[in-house]
Amino acid sequence: MARSAILAFLGSLGLALGGGPSVAQTPDSGARVFLVLDASGSMWGRAGNQTKIEAARETIRTLLKDWRPQDQLGLVTYGHRRKGDCGDIEILKPVGPVDAAALMAQVNGISPKGMTPMTASVKMAAEQLKTSEGLTSVILVSDGVETCKADPCAVAAELKKADVKLVVHTVGFDIQDRQAAKQLECMAAATGGLALSAGNAGELGKAIGQAVEAARQKAPPAPAPPPQPKAEPRPAWNLEGSVRLAENDDPLVGKDFITWVFYKPAPRGVDPEYVQTSSNSLIEAEIAAGDYLVDLEVGSVKRRTSVKVEASKMNRLDVILNAGRLALRAKRTADENQKGDVFWEVVSKADGSTVFNSYDAETSTIVAAGKYALTMTLGAAKVARDIEVVAGDTTAVEIVAGVGRLQGSIVFAKGGPALRDPFIEIFAGAEPVENEASVTNAYDAKPKFDLSAGAYRAHIKSDGVDRTFPFEIKAGQRLDIEFPLDAGIAAFEAPGIDTIEIKGQDKDIYGERQAITTLYAPFGNFALPVGKYVVVALKDGARKEAEFEIRAGQRTVTKVDAP
C-alpha cells in the first residue's frame, strides 16, 4: 500500500505540549482550525508498539483535553471509504465550536483503507478557511510522501499567494524517505512555516506543541527565501534495495520490520556463507562485487531472492512480495473500543499453518496474498471469519465482539466476607446439557469475565460448597453480581488425631450419613454450606463423633476428642 501522511492539524490546535518558544497570543479572537486526518491504508503500519492510526487517535485525544474555547475546529479525512481512489476526501465536520467527545467519536470510527491525497486535502481545507478572519495556520504531520501525483511544494506556494495569512508548519514523523523530507521542508519554507521532525510518539507531541505556539502568533512570519540547490554527495554504498507489496506499488518504509540477510551461494548440500544483515526498510549497503542470495522477511512474509552486484556502479534490488497488509481492530460493541485482552490468530487456508498472531486490540501485519481463517478471542467470546488478502491492498477487518463485562463477588453470605480463591466456571445457556464444557473459569473471589450477550450459569465450588447461579448479560453491559453461597467455615481442634471425616447429620434409608470429605492433620479451614454436620475422629481403628452447625458468614470451631 502507498506510504502516506499520518495526520494534518490545520490551524492553531490551542494546546501547547511543550518544547516551543513563548510567543504573543491573541486573547480575544481564537484560531480557525481544520484537522485533516489520514485514513489511508498505510496508517495500519506500526509506529513503535502500536499502529499509526492508534497513535494518531491517542495524540488527538490528548490535544483535545485542554482545547481553548475561543478556537474553532473542523475535521477532514481521506482514504477511509474506498481503496485506490485519490478523490476520497471528506469534510466530516465544518469549522466551528469543539465538542471533544463528539469529535473523538468520529475519529474512533475511522478505519483506514485507501490512498493518500494529502496535497488535495490540504488545498480543500485551505479553500474552506480562505474567507475566515484571523489566524489560519496549517500544521501538517506526515510520515511519508504524497502518492496522488500532486506537487506539495508548488501547491503550498499557490495557497500562500492566494491567502497571505496562511502558514504551513510541517512535522516529519519517523521519515525514512529523503523525498518525503524534502517535500515537507519545501511546503513549510514556501509559506513561512516551521519544518520540524519527530522520531517517536513523545517527540511528536513536543514538535506539535512547538508548531502550535508558532501558529498562535498574531502575524505570520515572512516566507523564507528558497534554499540554494546543493550538490548531492556521492553515496557511500553500491547497492540500493526496496520492497513493494505489489507491482507498481510504492516501496515500503518505516516500521514494517524488514530484514535483509545476504549470503554467498554454495553448491547443493552446502550451507550458504553468511555475509551481512540489514534492518533498514530501504537498504543502502556497501558490499563486494559478486553474486548473492538474499533472505527477506517482512511482517509475516518470507522471501528468498538473488542479486548480482557489479563493481563501479550503483546496483538495484527491487523485491515484489505479492502480499498485502492485514489490519485488525477489535471492538467490544459498535460504539466501544477494546483495550488489550484480545488474541488474534490468522491461519492459511492453503496449508493450515498459522502465519500471524497478536494480543493487541488493534494491530497489523503484512501477509502473502491469499485466503485465511481469522479468529478473534476477546475474553470468553470467540469470533471466526474467512478473509482474503489481495496483493497491494490493505484488508481492514473490524470485529465487533458484542460482549458485556461480568464483575462477580463471591461471598459466604449476602454482604459478608469473601471466599479465598473459590473456583468459578461459566457455562453457556440457562440449562445444563450433557458433556458441556465451560466457556471460561477462574480461581478468584472477584472474577471478571468478558462474555458474549446471552444467558449463562456461574458454577462455584469451594471445599464442600457447590452452587450454581443463573444470569443474563447484554452487549456493552457491566453486570455486577454478588454470589452469596450461604456458607461458612468449619475449623477443628483435634489434638492427637490424624484423620477426621465430615458427614451430613441426617441418615439415609440405610442408616448411613452422607460422606462429605476426609481431612488429615493439620486440619485447616473448610468451607461448608449452612446446616448441621457430624465430625468423626479416627484413631487406631476407633471412632468418636461430635455434632456441629455452620452458620452463614461465620466460622465454627469444633473441639474433637480422641476416641
Side-chain angles (χ1 to χ4, degrees), residues 406 425-432 454-460 467-473 479 481-483:
L406 169 64
E425 290 182 285
I426 304 297
F427 291 89
E431 299 294 336
Y456 295 90
R457 287 164 289 124
H459 181 208
I460 302 170
R467 294 285 307 275
T468 298
F469 299 83
F471 66 93
E472 187 170 345
I473 196 166
L479 186 60
I481 301 182
E482 183 180 69
F483 297 108

Side-chain angles (χ1 to χ4, degrees), residues 43-344:
M43 284 293 286
W44 287 109
R46 300 192 70 81
N49 60 356
Q50 60 185 168
T51 63
K52 293 177 183 178
I53 183 63
E54 188 177 10
R57 292 192 196 105
E58 291 184 5
T59 301
I60 296 168
R61 186 178 297 108
T62 301
L63 289 168
L64 292 176
K65 284 182 180 178
D66 297 318
W67 186 270
R68 300 191 316 179
Q70 64 265 40
D71 292 331
Q72 297 186 9
L73 179 66
L75 176 64
V76 177
T77 190
Y78 55 85
H80 70 294
R81 295 175 297 183
R82 299 181 295 275
K83 297 179 180 180
D85 184 359
C86 284
D88 183 14
I89 307 170
E90 183 180 13
I91 298 176
L92 294 181
K93 179 189 179 301
V95 173
V98 175
D99 181 335
L103 179 58
M104 279 310 306
Q106 289 183 299
V107 173
N108 285 334
I110 292 170
S111 182
K113 61 171 61 73
M115 296 293 288
T116 310
M118 179 179 69
T119 305
S121 298
V122 171
K123 184 175 182 180
M124 176 184 290
E127 291 295 328
Q128 294 285 320
L129 290 168
K130 188 174 180 181
T131 58
S132 300
E133 296 295 330
L135 302 175
T136 55
S137 296
V138 175
I139 302 174
L140 171 64
V141 182
S142 170
D143 78 333
V145 69
E146 164 71 45
T147 61
C148 281
K149 298 181 180 180
D151 185 340
C153 190
V155 170
E158 292 173 3
L159 293 175
K160 181 65 176 179
K161 185 176 180 181
D163 181 3
V164 295
K165 303 187 303 294
L166 180 67
V167 178
V168 178
H169 304 289
T170 63
V171 181
F173 183 32
D174 190 34
I175 293 294
Q176 305 288 324
D177 189 313
R178 286 188 295 273
Q179 181 186 359
K182 290 179 180 179
Q183 286 182 343
L184 294 173
E185 291 170 2
C186 186
M187 289 181 75
T191 59
L194 301 175
L196 307 168
S197 62
N200 53 49
E203 292 177 2
L204 177 63
K206 291 180 181 179
I208 292 175
Q210 186 175 348
V212 167
E213 288 297 315
R216 286 176 174 170
Q217 296 183 51
K218 290 183 177 180
Q228 295 297 319
K230 297 180 181 180
E232 290 285 345
R234 182 169 180 170
W237 54 88
N238 64 348
L239 174 64
E240 295 182 343
S242 60
V243 182
R244 306 171 195 269
L245 294 178
E247 197 79 37
N248 299 321
D249 203 3
D250 289 319
L252 294 173
V253 296
K255 301 296 186 181
D256 279 311
F257 306 109
I258 301 174
T259 303
W260 312 71
V261 184
F262 289 81
Y263 299 91
K264 292 291 290 183
R268 184 183 296 273
V270 178
D271 290 338
E273 178 186 351
Y274 169 79
V275 177
Q276 65 184 53
T277 299
S278 174
S279 297
N280 295 327
S281 52
L282 297 173
I283 190 170
E284 296 170 342
E286 177 68 25
I287 193 168
D291 295 320
Y292 295 90
L293 298 175
V294 185
D295 283 348
L296 190 71
E297 185 169 350
V298 187
S300 302
V301 180
K302 295 181 179 180
R303 290 283 186 274
R304 169 165 281 191
T305 187
S306 60
V307 63
K308 183 180 182 64
V309 176
E310 299 181 26
S312 302
K313 63 175 291 187
M314 181 60 70
N315 299 273
R316 287 286 312 167
L317 173 59
D318 195 25
V319 181
I320 308 300
L321 292 179
N322 189 33
R325 194 181 298 278
L326 177 60
L328 306 173
R329 185 184 186 191
K331 301 191 74 174
R332 297 180 63 80
T333 66
D335 301 319
E336 185 181 2
N337 292 334
Q338 173 67 9
K339 292 290 185 182
D341 298 327
V342 172
F343 179 69
W344 300 96

